[in-house]
Amino acid sequence: MRLELGEIYIEDIQFSETSEIKDHVLYLNKSDLVNAADLEDSYLEDVDFEIAKPGESVRIIPVKDVLEPRVKVEGKGEVFPGILNKVDQVGEGKTLALKNMAVVTTGSIVGFQEGIIDMTGEGAKYTPFSKLNNLVMIATPKENVNQKNHEHSVRMAGLKVTNFIASLAKDLEADETKVYETLPLLEQIDKNKDLKKVVYVYMLQTQGLLHDTYVYGVDAKQIIPTFLYPTEFMDGAVVSGNCVSACDKNPTYVHLNNDVIKNLYEEDGKSINFLGVIITNENVYLNDKKRSSDMTAKLAKLLGADAAIVSQEGFGNPDTDLIMNCTKLEKNGIDTVIITDEYAGNDGLSQSLADADKLANACVTCGNANEFVKLPKLDKIIGDINAAKVIAGANDHSLNEDGTIEVEIQAITGATNETGFNKLTTKGF
């Protein structure tokens, strides 16, 4: 598949009488946004919108999802297939993406593992989303709505608003265009036959109870490991429905902009032969973990992979899926690197992962989610500040009377993201 991804840079977002993109400014009419959210059959009472820009004294809490507007302008299918649009295969043709901005969903808390985005101060250093111009959708649920319906309604409203904003760009010219291409397997292998064949094993959070990811509209709990062209992710084939720990969840924005995929494409034809992506789920029960990891290793071997990169989503129970995937790939003669984060206690001295194996001897860590940080009082709160007492990484005493917040970085959206889409780095001693 060959995808031309055109990038349009958004320098500012402003509310206006007319919704349009002009001179790199996104102008939005609030009524248009409310209409786009389409609440008629929703479990939401209403939605409102705010704008949060880099450097402003603004805190968004609790964050449900982060999305990037994209629109298909040529080729088969539409962005977010099987969810907003027909179940057509995507990943080829031409797509436009609005860069330097995002749609962020917030409001009454859905699940306790939601997060914080600070646009300035200490917290802003930990989240990549502090550098974006953010349109924030504040969703208010109807009374007595259960969590499952609440989550679904917020997710769908966020996707619809994102889709509407993307439609404003359909007739615009891209500022920059990047081309991504993966040939059919035998052609791809033959083209770079002297280079090591690499697959990316992309673990999706699928434990249920608000720990869900969707592939072409299907709850990924129901899938077996599947091969996808890397470009399918860029057209929204995979969407987050997660309320897992904010630091290492993959928001929809990350699925669209997966840095592992981008970096593998950078090296394709130079140092490696990038074959594509195997998606696999993270299961709750042992037999399901065994089945998925067996099939992941079998599929990688069938593709003829020499090496694999495996990224995790979440922590704890999924650590076993991660290690099973790694060890079975290694036993099939496939050199494997894992990408994870750590929950090593506030002092960093505890066991980092819930599972381990001597074959998992090549690991990239994205940081210790238990590290404590004190966030300053900010002038404006979008959402509900009281969520700071209950989100994962916080406690009853996290919200101080002076407006400061003391939490683990687990509570900050994207702080230790396990695709490497984060701001942490190592420090030498």
Side-chain angles (χ1 to χ4, degrees):
M1 284 189 177
R2 183 179 189 274
L3 179 69
E4 295 182 22
L5 185 62
E7 299 183 342
I8 297 172
Y9 297 103
I10 300 299
E11 298 174 357
D12 193 15
I13 303 176
Q14 298 178 21
F15 290 124
S16 174
E17 291 295 319
T18 303
S19 295
E20 61 180 344
I21 300 171
K22 189 174 181 180
D23 298 328
H24 297 96
V25 177
L26 173 61
Y27 297 97
L28 294 169
N29 178 288
K30 278 195 176 185
S31 295
D32 290 344
L33 295 172
V34 173
N35 291 335
D38 187 21
L39 303 185
E40 184 175 352
D41 297 319
S42 170
Y43 288 93
L44 300 180
E45 186 68 40
D46 59 52
V47 292
D48 196 8
F49 296 89
E50 297 279 358
I51 296 169
K53 302 177 184 180
E56 291 184 337
S57 186
V58 174
R59 171 167 294 140
I60 311 168
I61 180 174
V63 174
K64 170 66 175 63
D65 197 10
V66 186
L67 308 103
E68 181 178 78
R70 296 191 174 195
V71 61
K72 202 83 183 157
V73 294
E74 186 177 305
K76 187 178 180 182
E78 300 289 343
V79 175
F80 304 131
I83 300 176
L84 292 186
N85 299 294
K86 293 180 180 179
V87 190
D88 289 324
Q89 183 175 294
V90 294
E92 57 187 344
K94 295 182 180 180
T95 299
L96 292 175
L98 299 187
K99 309 302 291 186
N100 199 40
M101 69 146 296
V103 175
V104 178
T105 55
T106 187
S108 174
I109 196 163
V110 176
F112 68 91
Q113 291 178 300
E114 294 170 283
I116 301 170
I117 295 176
D118 281 358
M119 301 303 293
T120 192
E122 187 67 17
K125 299 176 183 178
Y126 288 89
T127 174
F129 302 113
S130 65
K131 303 302 182 184
L132 303 179
N133 292 297
N134 293 313
L135 175 75
V136 187
M137 184 188 83
I138 307 103
T140 302
K142 296 177 181 178
E143 291 186 8
N144 302 318
V145 174
N146 65 43
Q147 286 181 304
K148 182 178 180 180
N149 290 334
H150 185 183
E151 187 282 323
H152 179 267
S153 293
V154 174
R155 171 163 38 95
M156 294 304 297
L159 286 164
K160 290 174 181 178
V161 168
T162 302
N163 198 53
F164 165 73
I165 293 171
S167 71
L168 302 176
K170 194 157 189 175
D171 297 322
L172 299 181
E173 293 292 326
D175 297 308
E176 183 178 0
T177 298
K178 299 176 181 178
V179 178
Y180 300 93
E181 184 173 20
T182 300
L183 299 172
L185 183 62
L186 295 181
E187 294 179 39
Q188 183 69 29
I189 291 173
D190 187 62
K191 180 182 178 182
N192 300 310
K193 57 187 175 183
D194 296 327
L195 297 175
K196 181 170 286 191
K197 300 182 291 296
V198 178
V199 295
Y200 173 31
V201 177
Y202 194 13
M203 293 172 55
L204 306 178
Q205 176 58 255
T206 57
Q207 293 176 289
L209 299 176
L210 306 181
H211 293 50
D212 302 302
T213 305
Y214 298 87
V215 181
Y216 281 92
V218 175
D219 188 331
K221 286 193 296 295
Q222 303 175 32
I223 71 168
I224 58 175
T226 302
F227 180 85
L228 291 182
Y229 280 95
T231 52
E232 292 180 78
F233 296 90
M234 299 175 184
D235 272 346
V238 177
V239 167
S240 174
N242 282 333
C243 300
V244 298
S245 284
C247 64
D248 55 15
K249 73 181 286 184
N250 290 330
T252 301
Y253 188 102
V254 169
H255 293 306
L256 291 164
N257 292 280
N258 186 294
D259 275 344
V260 178
I261 291 175
K262 287 183 179 180
N263 281 283
L264 286 171
Y265 264 128
E266 283 291 323
E267 291 302 315
D268 184 45
K270 300 175 184 176
S271 63
I272 63 167
N273 187 349
F274 180 28
L275 300 183
V277 183
I278 298 171
I279 56 170
T280 185
N281 44 23
E282 298 176 353
N283 298 286
V284 176
Y285 298 109
L286 184 58
N287 279 341
D288 295 329
K289 294 176 184 292
K290 289 179 177 178
R291 181 188 305 109
S292 286
S293 55
D294 280 347
M295 297 191 76
T296 295
K298 180 180 72 174
L299 185 51
K301 185 176 181 180
L302 178 65
L303 294 170
D306 301 307
I309 295 174
V310 185
S311 70
Q312 183 182 7
E313 183 175 11
F315 70 100
N317 187 295
D319 292 352
T320 297
D321 301 84
L322 175 70
I323 298 302
M324 280 187 171
N325 284 322
C326 177
T327 56
K328 291 176 182 180
L329 288 163
E330 288 278 354
K331 288 176 181 177
N332 275 282
I334 300 170
D335 296 331
T336 303
V337 176
I338 60 175
I339 309 175
T340 183
D341 61 355
E342 305 173 54
Y343 284 76
N346 300 147
D347 56 7
L349 299 178
S350 299
Q351 180 174 319
S352 295
L353 296 177
D355 201 355
D357 190 280
K358 63 182 180 181
L359 291 176
N361 58 11
C363 175
V364 176
T365 175
C366 295
N368 176 22
N370 294 139
E371 178 186 338
F372 250 95
V373 64
K374 186 172 183 178
L375 306 180
K377 179 183 183 299
L378 298 184
D379 295 338
K380 183 177 181 179
I381 303 298
I382 302 178
D384 181 8
I385 190 61
N386 289 309
K389 301 176 184 178
V390 295
I391 56 177
N395 57 59
D396 289 342
H397 307 291
S398 288
L399 180 58
N400 299 317
E401 290 185 3
D402 62 1
T404 60
I405 299 175
E406 296 180 65
V407 290
E408 296 177 353
I409 63 171
Q410 180 183 173
I412 299 176
T413 301
T416 63
N417 181 269
E418 293 158 294
T419 68
F421 190 76
N422 57 41
K423 305 298 288 184
L424 292 179
T425 186
T426 57
K427 181 186 290 186
F429 292 95

